[in-house]
Amino acid sequence: MLHLLSLHYTAPEQEAEPFVRDHVSYLERHHKDGTFLVSGQTVPTSIGGVIIARGSDRAAIEQIAAQDPFVLNGVAEYTMTTITPGRVHPDLSPLLRTDR
């Protein structure tokens, strides 16, 4: 399964600035371990950001989202939509495997 995590600021974007370095480290850690496939800011950036994560256990992804420094410091929150891919471009199939 894939999980679309939408990050929304709950405080003015400027209040998140002190936590950006830790947030980036958090993203890098989960990209490196293969959980996060894509992450990026929304346009406009004042809304937040989006992550596409993979994993068969939604509860585990919820736990990971709860550990984001933005969430821990009360400046943002996530909403999550779980997706069971029905059709996938052949070039992406190996990358989207969730049976890890």
Side-chain angles (χ1 to χ4, degrees), residues 44-99:
T45 61
S46 61
I47 296 170
V50 174
I51 297 169
I52 298 175
R54 66 175 169 178
S56 57
D57 185 355
R58 180 184 169 112
I61 302 300
E62 288 172 342
Q63 285 289 332
I64 290 170
Q67 296 304 310
D68 184 327
F70 285 168
V71 173
L72 291 173
N73 289 284
V75 296
E77 64 185 10
Y78 281 100
T79 57
M80 184 184 309
T81 303
T82 298
I83 305 163
T84 302
R87 290 171 204 77
V88 176
H89 189 282
D91 292 346
L92 294 178
S93 291
L95 182 66
L96 298 181
R97 288 186 46 216
T98 59
D99 60 340

Side-chain angles (χ1 to χ4, degrees), residues 7 9-10 13 15-24 26-27 65-78:
L7 179 78
Y9 290 117
T10 57
E13 187 177 6
E15 289 185 31
E17 288 177 11
F19 312 110
V20 168
R21 184 190 316 199
D22 291 340
H23 173 74
V24 170
Y26 159 86
L27 293 172
Q67 296 304 310
D68 184 327
F70 285 168
V71 173
L72 291 173
N73 289 284
V75 296
E77 64 185 10
Y78 281 100

